[in-house]
């Protein structure tokens, strides 16, 4: 059994994951990050102890062998280099948590954790070379090459969200203009709707209250401004995926996160657009598929991070 | 000792490479690709036999242990999937050459071979994660992750030249518009000069005869149209490299090919532009350095391909 912990700015969600990728015991608590690193570390130790005790009672012959943490930020060699939502910089979390629990501890970025969950048990299972895009408030990524995650020299690999894919129509949180995240995230869908209306395109949606899901639903019904925002998202995502095929030529591309819930309407358009932008059209198209796990991916992938480092 | 062969549309260049990366014996012959695959295979066998005989005489205690071939096209698992300049499709070259020489044979793309040469003996020596851009008539690439080349599911990884980086001002050989190759190759520099003049920018160069080197030299002297073409090249190359840092975060980026001969004038501008486009500016910039090998890279890298597959 392995423990996976999804460390978020609001909640710490932890689970005991079995070798089928099922969360058999779970627990969570508020992160209260404003209390500082040591306080959060104490909570993580408590979560681990609680899960371990329960695991001992329920699965006597299958003890916890390791812990993995998914962190919303840059991690490198067991150290959280920077996690703005946690207010952490250069925190040796793997070492600290390992000393307090006597278990090996592995750290990965949270989007990478989702990619690991899909690769170990989900949509890209069995593929040694796979990419994952997570389309949520932002755009996260995971790169798996030859069965291992690519973390990079500074821990900033797989940040697809900040690759530049066009001129941009608003400035990204990172300060750049033209990031994929400003075209293809949930945030970008809503901003894209407003932008289309500003350019004179009609919509039946209420600009004050429309969510990303509203934009997708309206696009599906043919709402002109929503369709424009949706097409822009698909265009840039397709361009990014075609570029990834020219760079890494993965066996499969998995798409998760809230926006991926748009289903076939999104995936059909995305496959078509990626094919248009693909250089070598004589091959079978690289499969672009929906993620199988939802919110659990963070815990499951974190639990199995050690196999991918 | 290892044999490396650089298979080109015009010439077959082969060499015996020692464990310091030196070509100690070399030979070549016209490729005469129009005579077909079998005829070229015969020539390759002859080259290998000649080199092996000479190696036996000169380096009695250091026999040839393997052969590597760099191929101008798509290769996968020892098969040349498509090499337009050779008129080859789906040729099992590794198997065929191995049967005729009784030596293990490894195939790689020719740009990948250059990347291997630099990684094993040159500018990126000692780096497990490295990229190489080759700026020539086209733009080639090599991706090394965790000490192995990334070749991809279809053998089309590392085709940086066809990643889309802008709207484009002419159509690429591949049929797409906006490929890096149409901004940052030698060809693109010359076309960029013409394009700038068409847009009304002045030049002292002769548009009929100007070469890529002329454009760089004139840009260095401040020629307005040449400078515009040069700046465009640097802008798109910098964008591509910053995107690569967001995707793979390599330890180092090596730049080779004829255009890289522009030296500091190019590299200073390129480092500055890449830094501008880089997402995480708080880290030491990823080194962007000139390749150490010239034309020999093809033979040296091919010889050592087996260590990277």
């Amino acid at each position: 059994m392995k423990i996976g912990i999804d460390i978020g700015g609001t909640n710490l969600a932890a689970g005991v994951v079995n070798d089928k990728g099922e969360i058999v015991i779970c627990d969570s608590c508020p992160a209260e990050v404003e209390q500082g690193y040591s306080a959060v570390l104490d909570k993580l130790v408590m979560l681990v102890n609680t899960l371990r005790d329960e695991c001992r009672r329920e699965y006597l012959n299958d003890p916890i062998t390791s812990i993995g943490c998914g962190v919303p930020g840059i991690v490198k060699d067991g150290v959280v280099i920077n996690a703005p939502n946690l207010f952490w910089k250069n925190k040796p979390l793997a070492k600290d948590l390992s000393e307090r629990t006597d278990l090996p501890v592995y750290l990965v970025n949270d989007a990478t954790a989702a990619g690991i969950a899909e690769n170990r048990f989900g949509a890209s299972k069995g593929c040694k070379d796979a990419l994952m895009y997570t389309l949520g408030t932002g755009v996260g990524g995971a790169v798996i090459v030859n069965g291992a995650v690519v973390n990079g020299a500074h821990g900033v690999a797989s940040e697809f969200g900040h690759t530049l894919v066009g001129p941009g129509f608003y400035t990204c949180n990172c300060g750049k203009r033209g990031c994929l995240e400003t075209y293809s995230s949930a945030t970008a869908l809503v901003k894209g709707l407003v932008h289309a209306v500003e350019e004179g395109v009609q919509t039946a949606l209420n600009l004050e209250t429309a969510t990303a899901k509203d934009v997708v639903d309206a696009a599906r019904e043919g709402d002109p401004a929503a369709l424009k925002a949706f097409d822009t998202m698909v265009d840039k995502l397709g361009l990014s995926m075609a570029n990834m095929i020219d760079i890494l030529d993965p066996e499969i591309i998995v798409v998760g996160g809230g926006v991926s819930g748009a289903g076939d309407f999104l995936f059909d358009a995305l496959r078509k657009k990626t094919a248009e932008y693909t250089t070598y059209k004589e091959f079978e198209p690289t499969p672009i598929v929906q993620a199988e796990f939802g919110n659990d991916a963070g815990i499951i992938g974190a639990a199995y991070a050690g196999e991918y480092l």
Side-chain angles (χ1 to χ4, degrees), chain A:
Chain A
M1 298 286 202
K2 298 170 191 290
I3 288 178
I5 310 179
D6 189 2
I7 303 180
T10 312
N11 262 288
L12 309 176
V16 174
V17 184
N18 69 13
D19 60 9
K20 295 189 184 95
E22 297 157 343
I23 301 177
V24 293
I25 310 169
C26 63
D27 199 359
S28 70
C29 66
E32 298 172 321
V33 292
E34 68 286 355
Q35 296 184 9
Y37 174 72
S38 295
V40 177
L41 181 61
D42 288 343
K43 284 165 187 275
L44 293 172
V45 172
M46 267 195 333
L47 277 171
V48 169
N49 287 339
T50 307
L51 291 174
R52 190 145 55 161
D53 288 347
E54 195 164 343
C55 187
R56 250 186 225 120
R57 282 194 300 275
E58 292 193 32
Y59 304 93
L60 189 64
N61 299 320
D62 204 349
I64 302 290
T65 54
S66 68
I67 301 170
C69 298
V71 179
I74 303 170
V75 300
K76 173 87 184 151
D77 299 335
V79 177
V80 180
I81 306 293
N82 194 7
N85 294 347
L86 308 176
F87 311 110
W88 292 359
K89 275 199 171 186
N90 299 312
K91 300 296 182 196
L93 178 62
K95 182 172 157 285
D96 291 341
L97 188 55
S98 184
E99 282 176 4
R100 300 273 299 273
T101 58
D102 280 324
L103 284 168
V105 176
Y106 305 98
L107 302 191
V108 283
N109 168 272
D110 52 2
T112 300
I116 291 173
E118 295 296 334
N119 193 250
R120 190 65 172 72
F121 300 107
S124 67
K125 191 175 166 181
C127 295
K128 283 188 339 180
D129 300 304
L131 297 184
M132 178 162 179
Y133 286 70
T134 300
L135 311 178
T137 315
V139 171
V143 181
I144 294 173
V145 170
N146 207 10
V149 294
V150 177
N151 188 43
H154 311 89
V156 300
S158 79
E159 286 283 359
F160 308 164
H162 299 292
T163 55
L164 299 169
V165 294
F169 62 95
Y170 69 95
T171 302
C172 186
N173 283 337
C174 78
K176 299 197 299 183
R177 230 181 147 87
C179 294
L180 178 63
E181 183 159 309
T182 65
Y183 285 106
S184 303
S185 61
T187 316
L189 265 174
V190 174
K191 284 189 194 273
L193 174 76
V194 175
H195 183 66
V197 170
E198 283 167 2
E199 285 190 324
V201 186
Q202 301 287 312
T203 187
L205 288 172
N206 179 338
L207 297 191
E208 304 290 315
T209 59
T211 64
K213 186 174 181 311
D214 295 336
V215 176
V216 172
D217 289 343
R220 195 184 274 118
E221 301 302 320
D223 180 273
L227 201 53
K228 186 156 192 230
F230 178 81
D231 286 347
T232 302
M233 173 188 82
V234 168
D235 183 68
K236 297 308 186 188
L237 206 48
L239 186 151
S240 168
M241 290 183 180
N243 281 356
M244 287 296 192
I245 295 169
D246 279 329
I247 297 166
L248 292 170
D249 185 16
E251 291 166 76
I252 192 166
I253 299 174
V254 180
V255 185
V259 177
S260 72
D264 286 348
F265 179 60
L266 170 64
F267 281 84
D268 289 347
L270 189 53
R271 288 177 194 127
K272 195 169 158 225
K273 188 51 79 177
T274 304
E276 266 177 47
Y277 284 133
T278 292
T279 306
Y280 296 99
K281 301 189 203 302
E282 64 266 40
F283 300 114
E284 278 287 298
T286 304
I288 299 171
V289 302
Q290 193 164 357
E292 292 181 10
F293 294 105
N295 289 334
D296 288 349
I299 292 174
I300 298 165
Y304 278 82
E307 292 189 2
Y308 283 81
L309 294 175

